[in-house]
Structure formats: C-alpha cells, structure tokens
Amino acid sequence: MVEDGKNKDRASKPGDNIKEMIPIAANPDVSDLIALRLKKYYDEVAEQPVPDRFLDLLSKLEAANDPKKSD
C-alpha cells in the first residue's frame, strides 16, 4: 500500500502527462500549421527595414575595428 502512495505522488509531478501531449505535437497537420505560421511571422520580421540608428551604430563599430578607416 505504501508503493501506491508513492506512485500516486509521482504521477502528480509536472511532466508526467507528456505522453498525453505527444500525439498533438506529433500530428503532422498541427506541426505543419505551427511551422507555417512561425515562418510567416519570422519572414515578416526579416522584411522590416533596419532602423537608421542601428545602421549608424554598425558603421561606428566597423570604423572602430578597421584601422584603415580610422587614419
């Protein structure tokens, strides 16, 4: 009977229900949908222009690291 108590406590730990979640994650339709939405989101972010202040900062960093430009 003590073992039943231990098994019951163990089953209540986080992550023990992972087997119930695997079929959802392993479902190709769900995985494909998630992948497509993530790709669309990241593509939109990558297409955004780089702010001028970042470009200025990059130029200053490159100039500081290039001894030919600092002369």
Side-chain angles (χ1 to χ4, degrees):
M1 298 243 167
V2 174
E3 289 181 15
D4 290 338
K6 288 182 182 178
N7 289 338
K8 186 176 182 181
D9 290 342
R10 185 170 182 241
S12 65
K13 292 181 182 177
D16 283 346
N17 295 329
I18 192 75
K19 289 180 183 178
E20 295 173 6
M21 292 187 277
I22 289 174
I24 294 171
N27 183 334
D29 294 332
V30 173
S31 297
D32 290 344
L33 182 60
I34 292 169
L36 287 172
R37 287 187 179 175
L38 284 173
K39 183 179 182 332
K40 181 181 176 187
Y41 174 76
Y42 286 115
D43 286 345
E44 289 173 359
V45 171
E47 290 174 2
Q48 293 179 1
V50 178
D52 290 337
R53 63 181 185 207
F54 290 157
L55 295 174
D56 292 339
L57 179 60
L58 288 172
S59 295
K60 290 176 184 177
L61 290 171
E62 287 175 358
N65 288 325
D66 189 359
K68 293 178 185 176
K69 289 186 178 180
S70 63
D71 288 339

Short mmCIF file of all heavy atoms in Angstrom, two decimals:
data_model
loop_
_atom_site.label_atom_id
_atom_site.label_comp_id
_atom_site.label_asym_id
_atom_site.label_seq_id
_atom_site.Cartn_x
_atom_site.Cartn_y
_atom_site.Cartn_z
N MET A 1 0.82 -1.19 0.00
CA MET A 1 0.00 0.00 0.00
C MET A 1 0.87 1.26 0.00
O MET A 1 0.47 2.26 -0.54
CB MET A 1 -0.94 0.01 1.20
CG MET A 1 -1.90 -1.10 1.24
SD MET A 1 -3.52 -0.36 1.12
CE MET A 1 -4.47 -1.77 0.79
N VAL A 2 2.04 1.21 0.59
CA VAL A 2 2.93 2.36 0.59
C VAL A 2 3.35 2.68 -0.83
O VAL A 2 3.44 3.83 -1.23
CB VAL A 2 4.16 2.10 1.51
CG1 VAL A 2 5.15 3.23 1.38
CG2 VAL A 2 3.72 1.90 2.93
N GLU A 3 3.60 1.65 -1.64
CA GLU A 3 4.00 1.87 -3.03
C GLU A 3 2.92 2.60 -3.81
O GLU A 3 3.21 3.41 -4.66
CB GLU A 3 4.33 0.55 -3.70
CG GLU A 3 5.62 -0.05 -3.17
CD GLU A 3 5.96 -1.35 -3.85
OE1 GLU A 3 5.36 -1.65 -4.91
OE2 GLU A 3 6.80 -2.09 -3.35
N ASP A 4 1.65 2.31 -3.52
CA ASP A 4 0.56 3.01 -4.20
C ASP A 4 0.62 4.50 -3.92
O ASP A 4 0.41 5.31 -4.79
CB ASP A 4 -0.81 2.45 -3.79
CG ASP A 4 -1.05 1.05 -4.34
OD1 ASP A 4 -0.39 0.71 -5.34
OD2 ASP A 4 -1.87 0.34 -3.76
N GLY A 5 0.92 4.86 -2.68
CA GLY A 5 1.06 6.27 -2.32
C GLY A 5 2.21 6.92 -3.06
O GLY A 5 2.11 8.05 -3.51
N LYS A 6 3.32 6.22 -3.20
CA LYS A 6 4.47 6.76 -3.93
C LYS A 6 4.14 6.95 -5.39
O LYS A 6 4.50 7.94 -6.00
CB LYS A 6 5.68 5.85 -3.76
CG LYS A 6 6.29 5.89 -2.39
CD LYS A 6 7.51 5.00 -2.31
CE LYS A 6 8.10 4.99 -0.92
NZ LYS A 6 9.24 4.10 -0.82
N ASN A 7 3.48 5.98 -5.98
CA ASN A 7 3.12 6.08 -7.39
C ASN A 7 2.14 7.22 -7.63
O ASN A 7 2.21 7.91 -8.63
CB ASN A 7 2.53 4.76 -7.91
CG ASN A 7 3.59 3.69 -8.03
OD1 ASN A 7 4.78 3.98 -8.14
ND2 ASN A 7 3.17 2.44 -8.01
N LYS A 8 1.22 7.41 -6.68
CA LYS A 8 0.25 8.48 -6.82
C LYS A 8 0.94 9.84 -6.76
O LYS A 8 0.66 10.73 -7.54
CB LYS A 8 -0.81 8.38 -5.72
CG LYS A 8 -1.93 9.35 -5.87
CD LYS A 8 -3.00 9.14 -4.82
CE LYS A 8 -4.15 10.08 -5.02
NZ LYS A 8 -5.19 9.90 -4.02
N ASP A 9 1.89 10.00 -5.82
CA ASP A 9 2.65 11.25 -5.72
C ASP A 9 3.47 11.48 -6.98
O ASP A 9 3.58 12.59 -7.48
CB ASP A 9 3.56 11.24 -4.50
CG ASP A 9 2.80 11.33 -3.19
OD1 ASP A 9 1.62 11.74 -3.22
OD2 ASP A 9 3.40 10.99 -2.15
N ARG A 10 4.06 10.43 -7.50
CA ARG A 10 4.90 10.56 -8.68
C ARG A 10 4.07 10.97 -9.90
O ARG A 10 4.51 11.76 -10.72
CB ARG A 10 5.60 9.24 -8.96
CG ARG A 10 6.56 9.34 -10.08
CD ARG A 10 7.42 8.09 -10.17
NE ARG A 10 8.37 8.27 -11.24
CZ ARG A 10 8.44 7.52 -12.30
NH1 ARG A 10 7.65 6.48 -12.44
NH2 ARG A 10 9.31 7.77 -13.25
N ALA A 11 2.87 10.48 -10.02
CA ALA A 11 2.02 10.80 -11.16
C ALA A 11 1.57 12.25 -11.15
O ALA A 11 1.21 12.79 -12.17
CB ALA A 11 0.80 9.87 -11.18
N SER A 12 1.64 12.89 -10.00
CA SER A 12 1.17 14.27 -9.92
C SER A 12 2.28 15.28 -10.22
O SER A 12 2.05 16.47 -10.19
CB SER A 12 0.58 14.54 -8.53
OG SER A 12 1.59 14.44 -7.54
N LYS A 13 3.50 14.82 -10.52
CA LYS A 13 4.60 15.74 -10.81
C LYS A 13 4.43 16.33 -12.21
O LYS A 13 3.91 15.67 -13.11
CB LYS A 13 5.94 15.01 -10.72
CG LYS A 13 6.30 14.60 -9.31
CD LYS A 13 7.63 13.91 -9.30
CE LYS A 13 7.98 13.46 -7.90
NZ LYS A 13 9.24 12.73 -7.88
N PRO A 14 4.91 17.54 -12.42
CA PRO A 14 4.84 18.14 -13.75
C PRO A 14 5.65 17.30 -14.74
O PRO A 14 6.71 16.79 -14.43
CB PRO A 14 5.50 19.51 -13.56
CG PRO A 14 5.48 19.77 -12.11
CD PRO A 14 5.47 18.44 -11.44
N GLY A 15 5.12 17.17 -15.93
CA GLY A 15 5.82 16.44 -16.97
C GLY A 15 5.40 14.99 -17.09
O GLY A 15 5.73 14.33 -18.06
N ASP A 16 4.67 14.48 -16.09
CA ASP A 16 4.24 13.10 -16.16
C ASP A 16 3.15 12.88 -17.21
O ASP A 16 2.93 11.77 -17.65
CB ASP A 16 3.75 12.60 -14.80
CG ASP A 16 4.89 12.30 -13.85
OD1 ASP A 16 6.05 12.20 -14.33
OD2 ASP A 16 4.65 12.16 -12.64
N ASN A 17 2.49 13.93 -17.61
CA ASN A 17 1.44 13.81 -18.62
C ASN A 17 1.97 14.05 -20.02
O ASN A 17 1.21 14.28 -20.95
CB ASN A 17 0.30 14.79 -18.32
CG ASN A 17 -0.39 14.46 -17.03
OD1 ASN A 17 -0.48 13.30 -16.64
ND2 ASN A 17 -0.89 15.47 -16.33
N ILE A 18 3.28 14.01 -20.21
CA ILE A 18 3.89 14.31 -21.50
C ILE A 18 3.40 13.34 -22.57
O ILE A 18 3.24 13.73 -23.72
CB ILE A 18 5.43 14.32 -21.41
CG1 ILE A 18 6.06 14.92 -22.66
CG2 ILE A 18 5.98 12.93 -21.18
CD1 ILE A 18 5.92 16.39 -22.71
N LYS A 19 3.14 12.11 -22.21
CA LYS A 19 2.67 11.14 -23.19
C LYS A 19 1.33 11.55 -23.77
O LYS A 19 1.03 11.25 -24.91
CB LYS A 19 2.58 9.75 -22.57
CG LYS A 19 3.94 9.14 -22.29
CD LYS A 19 3.83 7.78 -21.69
CE LYS A 19 5.20 7.23 -21.36
NZ LYS A 19 5.14 5.92 -20.72
N GLU A 20 0.52 12.25 -22.98
CA GLU A 20 -0.77 12.72 -23.47
C GLU A 20 -0.59 13.86 -24.47
O GLU A 20 -1.41 14.07 -25.34
CB GLU A 20 -1.65 13.18 -22.32
CG GLU A 20 -2.04 12.07 -21.38
CD GLU A 20 -2.77 12.58 -20.16
OE1 GLU A 20 -3.08 13.78 -20.10
OE2 GLU A 20 -3.04 11.77 -19.26
N MET A 21 0.51 14.62 -24.36
CA MET A 21 0.74 15.76 -25.25
C MET A 21 1.43 15.35 -26.54
O MET A 21 1.33 16.04 -27.54
CB MET A 21 1.59 16.81 -24.53
CG MET A 21 0.87 17.48 -23.39
SD MET A 21 1.80 18.83 -22.71
CE MET A 21 2.89 17.96 -21.60
N ILE A 22 2.14 14.25 -26.56
CA ILE A 22 2.91 13.85 -27.73
C ILE A 22 2.04 13.66 -28.97
O ILE A 22 2.40 14.14 -30.03
CB ILE A 22 3.75 12.59 -27.43
CG1 ILE A 22 4.88 12.99 -26.50
CG2 ILE A 22 4.30 11.97 -28.70
CD1 ILE A 22 5.71 11.83 -26.00
N PRO A 23 0.86 13.01 -28.89
CA PRO A 23 0.08 12.86 -30.11
C PRO A 23 -0.29 14.20 -30.76
O PRO A 23 -0.32 14.31 -31.97
CB PRO A 23 -1.18 12.11 -29.65
CG PRO A 23 -0.75 11.39 -28.42
CD PRO A 23 0.29 12.28 -27.78
N ILE A 24 -0.54 15.24 -29.98
CA ILE A 24 -0.87 16.54 -30.53
C ILE A 24 0.35 17.11 -31.25
O ILE A 24 0.27 17.58 -32.38
CB ILE A 24 -1.35 17.51 -29.43
CG1 ILE A 24 -2.68 17.00 -28.87
CG2 ILE A 24 -1.49 18.92 -29.96
CD1 ILE A 24 -3.14 17.74 -27.64
N ALA A 25 1.51 17.07 -30.61
CA ALA A 25 2.72 17.60 -31.20
C ALA A 25 3.17 16.77 -32.39
O ALA A 25 3.77 17.29 -33.32
CB ALA A 25 3.82 17.67 -30.16
N ALA A 26 2.91 15.47 -32.37
CA ALA A 26 3.34 14.59 -33.44
C ALA A 26 2.37 14.60 -34.61
O ALA A 26 2.68 14.06 -35.67
CB ALA A 26 3.49 13.17 -32.92
N ASN A 27 1.22 15.23 -34.47
CA ASN A 27 0.25 15.30 -35.54
C ASN A 27 0.82 16.17 -36.65
O ASN A 27 1.08 17.36 -36.46
CB ASN A 27 -1.05 15.90 -34.99
CG ASN A 27 -2.15 15.96 -36.01
OD1 ASN A 27 -1.91 16.03 -37.21
ND2 ASN A 27 -3.37 15.96 -35.54
N PRO A 28 1.01 15.60 -37.85
CA PRO A 28 1.63 16.37 -38.94
C PRO A 28 0.85 17.63 -39.31
O PRO A 28 1.45 18.65 -39.63
CB PRO A 28 1.65 15.40 -40.11
CG PRO A 28 1.38 14.06 -39.55
CD PRO A 28 0.71 14.24 -38.23
N ASP A 29 -0.46 17.58 -39.24
CA ASP A 29 -1.25 18.76 -39.59
C ASP A 29 -0.99 19.91 -38.63
O ASP A 29 -0.82 21.05 -39.04
CB ASP A 29 -2.74 18.43 -39.61
CG ASP A 29 -3.11 17.44 -40.71
OD1 ASP A 29 -2.40 17.42 -41.74
OD2 ASP A 29 -4.08 16.70 -40.54
N VAL A 30 -0.94 19.61 -37.34
CA VAL A 30 -0.70 20.63 -36.33
C VAL A 30 0.73 21.15 -36.46
O VAL A 30 0.97 22.36 -36.44
CB VAL A 30 -0.96 20.09 -34.91
CG1 VAL A 30 -0.54 21.10 -33.86
CG2 VAL A 30 -2.43 19.72 -34.74
N SER A 31 1.69 20.24 -36.62
CA SER A 31 3.09 20.64 -36.76
C SER A 31 3.29 21.51 -37.99
O SER A 31 4.01 22.50 -37.95
CB SER A 31 3.99 19.41 -36.84
OG SER A 31 3.93 18.67 -35.65
N ASP A 32 2.66 21.13 -39.10
CA ASP A 32 2.79 21.91 -40.33
C ASP A 32 2.18 23.30 -40.16
O ASP A 32 2.75 24.29 -40.62
CB ASP A 32 2.12 21.20 -41.50
CG ASP A 32 2.87 19.95 -41.95
OD1 ASP A 32 4.06 19.80 -41.56
OD2 ASP A 32 2.28 19.12 -42.66
N LEU A 33 1.04 23.37 -39.51
CA LEU A 33 0.38 24.66 -39.29
C LEU A 33 1.25 25.56 -38.42
O LEU A 33 1.43 26.74 -38.73
CB LEU A 33 -0.99 24.46 -38.65
CG LEU A 33 -1.81 25.71 -38.40
CD1 LEU A 33 -2.09 26.44 -39.71
CD2 LEU A 33 -3.11 25.35 -37.70
N ILE A 34 1.81 25.00 -37.37
CA ILE A 34 2.69 25.78 -36.49
C ILE A 34 3.91 26.26 -37.27
O ILE A 34 4.30 27.43 -37.19
CB ILE A 34 3.12 24.96 -35.26
CG1 ILE A 34 1.92 24.71 -34.35
CG2 ILE A 34 4.25 25.64 -34.50
CD1 ILE A 34 2.16 23.70 -33.26
N ALA A 35 4.51 25.38 -38.05
CA ALA A 35 5.69 25.74 -38.84
C ALA A 35 5.38 26.84 -39.84
O ALA A 35 6.15 27.79 -39.99
CB ALA A 35 6.24 24.51 -39.56
N LEU A 36 4.25 26.74 -40.52
CA LEU A 36 3.87 27.76 -41.50
C LEU A 36 3.64 29.12 -40.84
O LEU A 36 4.08 30.15 -41.35
CB LEU A 36 2.61 27.34 -42.26
CG LEU A 36 2.79 26.22 -43.27
CD1 LEU A 36 1.44 25.76 -43.80
CD2 LEU A 36 3.69 26.67 -44.41
N ARG A 37 2.97 29.12 -39.71
CA ARG A 37 2.71 30.39 -39.01
C ARG A 37 4.01 31.01 -38.48
O ARG A 37 4.19 32.23 -38.56
CB ARG A 37 1.71 30.17 -37.88
CG ARG A 37 0.31 29.95 -38.42
CD ARG A 37 -0.71 29.91 -37.34
NE ARG A 37 -2.05 29.71 -37.90
CZ ARG A 37 -3.12 29.54 -37.17
NH1 ARG A 37 -3.04 29.55 -35.87
NH2 ARG A 37 -4.28 29.36 -37.75
N LEU A 38 4.90 30.19 -37.95
CA LEU A 38 6.18 30.71 -37.48
C LEU A 38 7.01 31.26 -38.63
O LEU A 38 7.60 32.34 -38.51
CB LEU A 38 6.97 29.62 -36.75
CG LEU A 38 6.52 29.29 -35.34
CD1 LEU A 38 7.28 28.08 -34.80
CD2 LEU A 38 6.72 30.48 -34.42
N LYS A 39 7.03 30.54 -39.75
CA LYS A 39 7.78 31.02 -40.91
C LYS A 39 7.23 32.34 -41.40
O LYS A 39 7.98 33.28 -41.70
CB LYS A 39 7.74 29.99 -42.03
CG LYS A 39 8.56 30.39 -43.23
CD LYS A 39 8.53 29.34 -44.31
CE LYS A 39 9.37 29.65 -45.51
NZ LYS A 39 9.62 30.99 -45.86
N LYS A 40 5.91 32.45 -41.47
CA LYS A 40 5.28 33.70 -41.91
C LYS A 40 5.65 34.85 -40.97
O LYS A 40 6.01 35.95 -41.41
CB LYS A 40 3.77 33.55 -41.97
CG LYS A 40 3.05 34.78 -42.46
CD LYS A 40 1.55 34.59 -42.49
CE LYS A 40 0.88 35.88 -42.89
NZ LYS A 40 -0.56 35.83 -42.79
N TYR A 41 5.60 34.59 -39.67
CA TYR A 41 5.92 35.63 -38.69
C TYR A 41 7.37 36.07 -38.84
O TYR A 41 7.66 37.27 -38.89
CB TYR A 41 5.66 35.10 -37.28
CG TYR A 41 6.10 36.06 -36.20
CD1 TYR A 41 5.36 37.19 -35.91
CD2 TYR A 41 7.28 35.84 -35.49
CE1 TYR A 41 5.77 38.09 -34.93
CE2 TYR A 41 7.69 36.73 -34.51
CZ TYR A 41 6.93 37.85 -34.25
OH TYR A 41 7.35 38.72 -33.28
N TYR A 42 8.29 35.12 -38.89
CA TYR A 42 9.71 35.48 -38.99
C TYR A 42 10.04 36.13 -40.32
O TYR A 42 10.89 37.01 -40.39
CB TYR A 42 10.60 34.27 -38.73
CG TYR A 42 10.62 33.89 -37.27
CD1 TYR A 42 10.11 32.68 -36.83
CD2 TYR A 42 11.13 34.76 -36.31
CE1 TYR A 42 10.12 32.34 -35.49
CE2 TYR A 42 11.14 34.44 -34.97
CZ TYR A 42 10.64 33.22 -34.57
OH TYR A 42 10.64 32.91 -33.24
N ASP A 43 9.38 35.71 -41.39
CA ASP A 43 9.59 36.37 -42.70
C ASP A 43 9.17 37.83 -42.64
O ASP A 43 9.85 38.70 -43.18
CB ASP A 43 8.84 35.64 -43.80
CG ASP A 43 9.48 34.31 -44.19
OD1 ASP A 43 10.66 34.08 -43.81
OD2 ASP A 43 8.81 33.51 -44.86
N GLU A 44 8.05 38.09 -41.99
CA GLU A 44 7.58 39.47 -41.86
C GLU A 44 8.56 40.31 -41.05
O GLU A 44 8.84 41.46 -41.39
CB GLU A 44 6.19 39.51 -41.21
CG GLU A 44 5.09 38.99 -42.11
CD GLU A 44 3.75 38.88 -41.40
OE1 GLU A 44 3.66 39.19 -40.19
OE2 GLU A 44 2.77 38.47 -42.05
N VAL A 45 9.11 39.74 -40.00
CA VAL A 45 10.09 40.46 -39.18
C VAL A 45 11.36 40.71 -39.98
O VAL A 45 11.92 41.81 -39.94
CB VAL A 45 10.40 39.68 -37.88
CG1 VAL A 45 11.57 40.30 -37.13
CG2 VAL A 45 9.16 39.64 -36.98
N ALA A 46 11.81 39.73 -40.73
CA ALA A 46 13.04 39.86 -41.51
C ALA A 46 12.91 40.89 -42.63
O ALA A 46 13.90 41.49 -43.04
CB ALA A 46 13.44 38.50 -42.09
N GLU A 47 11.70 41.10 -43.13
CA GLU A 47 11.48 42.06 -44.21
C GLU A 47 11.44 43.51 -43.72
O GLU A 47 11.53 44.44 -44.52
CB GLU A 47 10.17 41.74 -44.93
CG GLU A 47 10.23 40.47 -45.74
CD GLU A 47 8.90 40.07 -46.35
OE1 GLU A 47 7.91 40.82 -46.17
OE2 GLU A 47 8.84 39.01 -46.97
N GLN A 48 11.33 43.72 -42.44
CA GLN A 48 11.25 45.08 -41.91
C GLN A 48 12.60 45.77 -42.07
O GLN A 48 13.65 45.13 -41.94
CB GLN A 48 10.84 45.06 -40.44
CG GLN A 48 9.44 44.56 -40.22
CD GLN A 48 9.06 44.53 -38.76
OE1 GLN A 48 9.84 44.88 -37.88
NE2 GLN A 48 7.85 44.09 -38.48
N PRO A 49 12.59 47.06 -42.37
CA PRO A 49 13.86 47.76 -42.55
C PRO A 49 14.62 47.92 -41.23
O PRO A 49 14.02 47.96 -40.16
CB PRO A 49 13.43 49.13 -43.08
CG PRO A 49 12.03 49.30 -42.63
CD PRO A 49 11.43 47.92 -42.56
N VAL A 50 15.94 47.98 -41.37
CA VAL A 50 16.79 48.19 -40.20
C VAL A 50 16.73 49.68 -39.84
O VAL A 50 16.93 50.53 -40.70
CB VAL A 50 18.24 47.76 -40.50
CG1 VAL A 50 19.14 48.03 -39.30
CG2 VAL A 50 18.28 46.29 -40.89
N PRO A 51 16.46 50.01 -38.60
CA PRO A 51 16.40 51.42 -38.20
C PRO A 51 17.73 52.14 -38.44
O PRO A 51 18.81 51.55 -38.31
CB PRO A 51 16.08 51.36 -36.70
CG PRO A 51 15.47 50.02 -36.49
CD PRO A 51 16.11 49.11 -37.49
N ASP A 52 17.64 53.42 -38.80
CA ASP A 52 18.83 54.21 -39.09
C ASP A 52 19.81 54.23 -37.92
O ASP A 52 21.03 54.19 -38.13
CB ASP A 52 18.45 55.65 -39.46
CG ASP A 52 17.77 55.73 -40.82
OD1 ASP A 52 17.98 54.82 -41.64
OD2 ASP A 52 17.04 56.71 -41.04
N ARG A 53 19.30 54.29 -36.71
CA ARG A 53 20.21 54.35 -35.55
C ARG A 53 21.04 53.08 -35.44
O ARG A 53 22.19 53.12 -35.00
CB ARG A 53 19.44 54.62 -34.27
CG ARG A 53 18.46 53.54 -33.91
CD ARG A 53 17.71 53.85 -32.65
NE ARG A 53 16.87 52.69 -32.34
CZ ARG A 53 15.77 52.75 -31.67
NH1 ARG A 53 15.34 53.89 -31.21
NH2 ARG A 53 15.08 51.66 -31.45
N PHE A 54 20.48 51.93 -35.84
CA PHE A 54 21.27 50.69 -35.83
C PHE A 54 22.32 50.71 -36.92
O PHE A 54 23.45 50.27 -36.72
CB PHE A 54 20.37 49.47 -35.98
CG PHE A 54 19.50 49.18 -34.79
CD1 PHE A 54 18.34 48.45 -34.94
CD2 PHE A 54 19.83 49.62 -33.52
CE1 PHE A 54 17.53 48.17 -33.86
CE2 PHE A 54 19.03 49.35 -32.42
CZ PHE A 54 17.88 48.62 -32.59
N LEU A 55 21.95 51.23 -38.10
CA LEU A 55 22.91 51.33 -39.19
C LEU A 55 24.06 52.26 -38.81
O LEU A 55 25.23 51.97 -39.10
CB LEU A 55 22.22 51.81 -40.47
CG LEU A 55 21.18 50.85 -41.05
CD1 LEU A 55 20.47 51.50 -42.23
CD2 LEU A 55 21.83 49.54 -41.46
N ASP A 56 23.74 53.38 -38.16
CA ASP A 56 24.78 54.31 -37.70
C ASP A 56 25.71 53.63 -36.68
O ASP A 56 26.93 53.78 -36.75
CB ASP A 56 24.17 55.56 -37.07
CG ASP A 56 23.45 56.43 -38.08
OD1 ASP A 56 23.74 56.30 -39.30
OD2 ASP A 56 22.60 57.24 -37.66
N LEU A 57 25.11 52.90 -35.77
CA LEU A 57 25.90 52.20 -34.77
C LEU A 57 26.82 51.17 -35.41
O LEU A 57 27.99 51.06 -35.07
CB LEU A 57 24.99 51.54 -33.73
CG LEU A 57 25.67 50.74 -32.62
CD1 LEU A 57 26.60 51.64 -31.81
CD2 LEU A 57 24.64 50.10 -31.73
N LEU A 58 26.29 50.42 -36.37
CA LEU A 58 27.11 49.43 -37.08
C LEU A 58 28.27 50.10 -37.82
O LEU A 58 29.40 49.59 -37.81
CB LEU A 58 26.25 48.62 -38.05
CG LEU A 58 25.30 47.61 -37.41
CD1 LEU A 58 24.37 47.01 -38.46
CD2 LEU A 58 26.08 46.52 -36.70
N SER A 59 28.01 51.23 -38.43
CA SER A 59 29.07 51.97 -39.13
C SER A 59 30.16 52.40 -38.16
O SER A 59 31.35 52.28 -38.45
CB SER A 59 28.50 53.20 -39.83
OG SER A 59 27.61 52.82 -40.84
N LYS A 60 29.76 52.91 -37.00
CA LYS A 60 30.73 53.34 -36.00
C LYS A 60 31.55 52.15 -35.48
O LYS A 60 32.76 52.26 -35.29
CB LYS A 60 30.03 54.03 -34.84
CG LYS A 60 29.47 55.39 -35.21
CD LYS A 60 28.69 56.00 -34.06
CE LYS A 60 28.05 57.31 -34.48
NZ LYS A 60 27.23 57.89 -33.40
N LEU A 61 30.90 51.03 -35.26
CA LEU A 61 31.61 49.84 -34.78
C LEU A 61 32.59 49.33 -35.83
O LEU A 61 33.72 48.95 -35.51
CB LEU A 61 30.62 48.75 -34.40
CG LEU A 61 29.79 48.99 -33.15
CD1 LEU A 61 28.69 47.94 -33.01
CD2 LEU A 61 30.69 48.98 -31.93
N GLU A 62 32.17 49.32 -37.09
CA GLU A 62 33.06 48.89 -38.17
C GLU A 62 34.25 49.82 -38.29
O GLU A 62 35.38 49.38 -38.46
CB GLU A 62 32.30 48.81 -39.49
CG GLU A 62 31.35 47.63 -39.57
CD GLU A 62 30.52 47.63 -40.84
OE1 GLU A 62 30.65 48.56 -41.66
OE2 GLU A 62 29.76 46.67 -41.01
N ALA A 63 34.01 51.12 -38.19
CA ALA A 63 35.10 52.10 -38.28
C ALA A 63 36.07 51.94 -37.12
O ALA A 63 37.28 52.08 -37.28
CB ALA A 63 34.53 53.52 -38.31
N ALA A 64 35.58 51.65 -35.94
CA ALA A 64 36.42 51.48 -34.78
C ALA A 64 37.28 50.22 -34.89
O ALA A 64 38.39 50.17 -34.35
CB ALA A 64 35.58 51.42 -33.51
N ASN A 65 36.79 49.21 -35.59
CA ASN A 65 37.52 47.96 -35.73
C ASN A 65 38.41 47.92 -36.97
O ASN A 65 39.20 46.99 -37.11
CB ASN A 65 36.55 46.78 -35.77
CG ASN A 65 35.93 46.51 -34.41
OD1 ASN A 65 36.57 46.68 -33.39
ND2 ASN A 65 34.68 46.08 -34.41
N ASP A 66 38.28 48.87 -37.86
CA ASP A 66 39.05 48.89 -39.09
C ASP A 66 40.12 49.99 -38.99
O ASP A 66 39.80 51.17 -39.09
CB ASP A 66 38.12 49.15 -40.27
CG ASP A 66 38.81 48.97 -41.61
OD1 ASP A 66 40.03 48.64 -41.62
OD2 ASP A 66 38.16 49.13 -42.64
N PRO A 67 41.38 49.60 -38.80
CA PRO A 67 42.43 50.61 -38.63
C PRO A 67 42.65 51.48 -39.87
O PRO A 67 43.08 52.61 -39.77
CB PRO A 67 43.68 49.78 -38.32
CG PRO A 67 43.38 48.40 -38.71
CD PRO A 67 41.89 48.25 -38.72
N LYS A 68 42.31 51.00 -41.06
CA LYS A 68 42.49 51.77 -42.29
C LYS A 68 41.54 52.98 -42.33
O LYS A 68 41.89 54.03 -42.80
CB LYS A 68 42.24 50.90 -43.53
CG LYS A 68 43.26 49.82 -43.72
CD LYS A 68 42.93 48.96 -44.92
CE LYS A 68 43.90 47.80 -45.05
NZ LYS A 68 43.53 46.93 -46.16
N LYS A 69 40.32 52.78 -41.83
CA LYS A 69 39.33 53.88 -41.86
C LYS A 69 39.58 54.91 -40.77
O LYS A 69 39.18 56.05 -40.90
CB LYS A 69 37.92 53.32 -41.70
CG LYS A 69 37.43 52.56 -42.91
CD LYS A 69 35.99 52.16 -42.74
CE LYS A 69 35.48 51.44 -43.98
NZ LYS A 69 34.09 51.04 -43.83
N SER A 70 40.23 54.53 -39.69
CA SER A 70 40.42 55.48 -38.58
C SER A 70 41.60 56.40 -38.82
O SER A 70 41.77 57.37 -38.11
CB SER A 70 40.63 54.71 -37.27
OG SER A 70 41.79 53.91 -37.34
N ASP A 71 42.45 56.14 -39.85
CA ASP A 71 43.59 57.03 -40.13
C ASP A 71 43.21 58.26 -40.88
O ASP A 71 42.47 58.54 -41.59
CB ASP A 71 44.68 56.27 -40.91
CG ASP A 71 45.40 55.27 -40.02
OD1 ASP A 71 45.35 55.45 -38.79
OD2 ASP A 71 45.98 54.32 -40.56
#
